[in-house]
């Protein structure tokens, strides 16, 4: 089965051609047009500009993905597109384009939940993964831990009470004037560090419920910058900035992984999947490998280009879902729930 996958839920406009084979999905092409130059000056995604950007980008990413894979619309067995959640104006660009192409060429169509896409990003390198699996989805909008019994089911176990882990990276980079998007820049600074700054204090929850909180990190970085204003100007080559990034990254990685061993045992999980943009983080990848080996968990970490938002993961998820018999009545849903 040859599937065209489309994704534009936030600020990446992406199309991919994926071939579903008996041995699992294979990326035949993956095209992504970044909007970093559009949103960079604002230090975060501006929804209206993102939607307009997608309108200009959608045709060329589709054409690019088809050309790179050497296929035409006639060769497609299915079109899969993100239905939500996300920014509604952004979602609508690829959603509407996909319906138009499917209608014009009579191609079966399926709408996909964005998080099922991130889950299925792991299928490219680990198609034979055993379930149940714990699934850590960490991005600019999500920091959620799920239990999955297969590639199309996610049952929420815990999530952040406030900011997503990706926001902590992005906001830190903003306060340190490193640029946008923050995650890869903080990661590079942290890797260059020869020593870590003072560690960040983990949050304490009085109600005893399992969860995460990352908004305190933002305040922590802000206080350190207020104490030492030089940090905001010194830039990525400064040893103190690098040390701060390293402490931040160590804290985020440790906090994210802390609940995994107990929950794996409680739910009999034999695998751990980590996906979403923050799964590109070098420290998190290394710490997760160490922890999974110690716990006897099989770790599935998609390659970095498949961790951030992309059309291939949507195609991989769409390959496993039933095509929609009535695509024309479907709409994008900014607040789409899992299982809806
Ligand atoms: O999954 P994604 O592409 O989009 C959302 O659905 O949010 O994730 C984007 C997030 C951003 O917050 C970005 O800073 C973060 O992933 N990110 C990283 C790294 N690469 C991307 N965070 C930490 N380290 C990285 N190397
Ligand atoms: Zn995402």
């Amino acid at each position: 089965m040859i599937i065209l996958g489309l994704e534009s839920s936030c600020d990446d406009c992406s199309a991919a051609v994926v071939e579903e084979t008996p041995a699992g999905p294979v990326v035949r092409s993956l095209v992504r047009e970044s909007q970093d130059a559009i949103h960079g000056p604002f230090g975060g995604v501006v929804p209206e500009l993102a939607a307009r950007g997608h309108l200009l980008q959608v045709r060329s990413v589709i054409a690019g993905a088809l050309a790179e894979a050497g296929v035409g619309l006639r060769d497609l067995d299915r079109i899969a597109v993100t239905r939500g959640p996300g920014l509604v104006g952004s979602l609508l660009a690829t959603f509407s384009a996909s319906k138009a192409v499917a209608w014009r060429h009579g191609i079966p169509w399926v709408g996909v939940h964005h998080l099922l896409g991130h889950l299925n990003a792991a299928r490219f390198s680990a198609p034979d993964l055993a379930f149940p699996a714990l699934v850590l989805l960490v991005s600019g909008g999500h920091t959620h831990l799920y239990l999955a019994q297969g590639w199309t089911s996610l049952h929420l176990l815990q999530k952040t009470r406030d900011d997503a882990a990706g926001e902590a990276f992005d906001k830190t980079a903003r306060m340190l004037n490193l640029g946008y998007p923050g995650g890869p820049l903080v990661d590079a600074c942290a890797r260059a560090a020869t020593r870590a700054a003072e560690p960040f204090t983990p949050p304490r929850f009085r109600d005893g419920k399992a969860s995460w909180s990352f908004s305190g990190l933002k305040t922590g970085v802000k206080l350190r910058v207020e104490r030492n204003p030089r940090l905001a100007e010194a830039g990525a080559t400064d040893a103190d900035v690098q040390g701060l990034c390293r402490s931040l990254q160590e804290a985020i990685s440790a906090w994210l992984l802390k609940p995994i061993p107990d929950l794996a045992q409680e739910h009999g999980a034999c695998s751990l999947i980590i996906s979403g943009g923050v799964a590109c983080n070098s420290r998190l990848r290394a710490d997760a490998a160490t922890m999974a080996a110690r716990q006897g968990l099989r770790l599935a970490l998609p390659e970095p280009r498949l961790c951030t938002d992309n059309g291939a993961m949507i195609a991989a998820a769409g390959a496993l879902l039933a095509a929609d018999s009535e695509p024309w009545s479907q709409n994008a849903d900014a607040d789409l729930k899992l299982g809806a």
Side-chain angles (χ1 to χ4, degrees):
M1 176 159 55
I2 308 272
I3 310 125
L4 173 69
L6 302 174
E7 152 65 38
S8 66
S9 62
C10 190
D11 62 339
D12 284 308
C13 196
S14 177
V17 174
V18 167
E19 183 169 0
E20 184 69 32
T21 74
V26 176
V27 181
R28 295 268 302 262
S29 67
L30 173 51
V31 172
R32 176 172 27 214
E33 278 192 26
S34 144
Q35 297 186 349
D36 292 351
I38 299 174
H39 304 295
F42 302 96
V45 177
V46 183
E48 184 60 31
L49 296 181
R52 289 177 199 209
H54 290 306
L55 282 178
L56 299 174
Q57 292 168 325
V58 64
R59 287 163 64 109
S60 70
V61 297
I62 293 175
L66 294 172
E68 199 181 303
V71 300
L73 290 170
R74 217 172 289 114
D75 302 312
L76 298 178
D77 299 302
R78 181 170 292 196
I79 298 181
V81 64
T82 307
R83 204 176 136 204
L87 301 169
V88 76
S90 290
L91 286 165
L92 279 170
T94 47
F95 198 81
S96 309
S98 73
K99 288 204 291 184
V101 175
W103 175 76
R104 172 69 180 79
H105 298 277
I107 304 166
W109 177 100
V110 62
V112 174
H113 193 287
H114 183 75
L115 295 184
L116 282 190
H118 278 304
L119 167 62
N120 277 267
R123 214 156 62 77
F124 290 97
S125 55
D128 58 340
L129 196 81
F131 289 90
L134 291 182
V135 185
L136 178 59
L137 292 181
V138 263
S139 69
H142 290 89
T143 300
H144 289 44
L145 185 68
Y146 293 91
L147 182 69
Q149 299 292 352
W151 292 110
T152 57
S153 88
L154 286 172
H155 169 76
L156 183 67
L157 297 178
Q158 72 171 60
K159 62 177 182 169
T160 178
R161 295 186 183 202
D162 39 57
D163 288 359
E167 278 179 271
F169 279 105
D170 293 333
K171 287 174 180 169
T172 296
R174 200 163 156 179
M175 286 186 267
L176 298 177
N177 282 310
L178 294 176
Y180 171 88
L185 298 163
V186 170
D187 194 348
C189 262
R191 270 182 286 132
T194 48
R195 55 180 166 73
E198 183 193 332
F200 287 91
T201 315
R204 269 194 298 262
F205 304 114
R206 286 208 183 82
D207 59 12
K209 284 192 198 135
S211 63
W212 289 291
S213 166
F214 293 96
S215 65
L217 283 177
K218 183 178 58 192
T219 316
V221 173
K222 186 165 167 266
L223 290 174
R224 290 179 196 210
V225 172
E226 276 170 11
R227 254 191 345 242
N228 180 8
R230 205 184 62 81
L231 288 170
E233 313 299 334
T237 52
D238 181 82
D240 291 336
V241 170
Q242 292 171 348
L244 176 54
C245 290
R246 178 152 144 197
S247 294
L248 180 94
Q249 190 161 293
E250 282 175 1
I252 293 176
S253 173
W255 299 359
L256 285 172
L257 296 175
K258 188 164 181 278
I260 305 285
D262 283 354
L263 286 171
Q265 199 160 33
E266 183 182 337
H267 295 281
C270 41
S271 307
L272 170 64
I273 295 170
I274 309 185
S275 189
V278 178
C280 294
N281 186 261
S282 59
R283 180 73 196 220
L284 178 61
R285 291 177 88 87
D287 288 351
T290 309
M291 188 269 284
R294 199 178 301 136
Q295 300 295 322
L297 290 167
R298 178 164 171 204
L299 177 65
L301 265 175
E303 56 178 292
R305 70 175 181 149
L306 299 174
C307 285
T308 47
D309 290 349
N310 69 86
M313 68 182 196
I314 300 301
L320 303 183
L321 303 170
D324 204 307
S325 53
E326 267 295 316
W328 332 124
S329 58
Q330 298 294 341
N331 209 346
D333 183 348
D335 195 28
L336 185 65
K337 301 283 180 272
L338 274 161

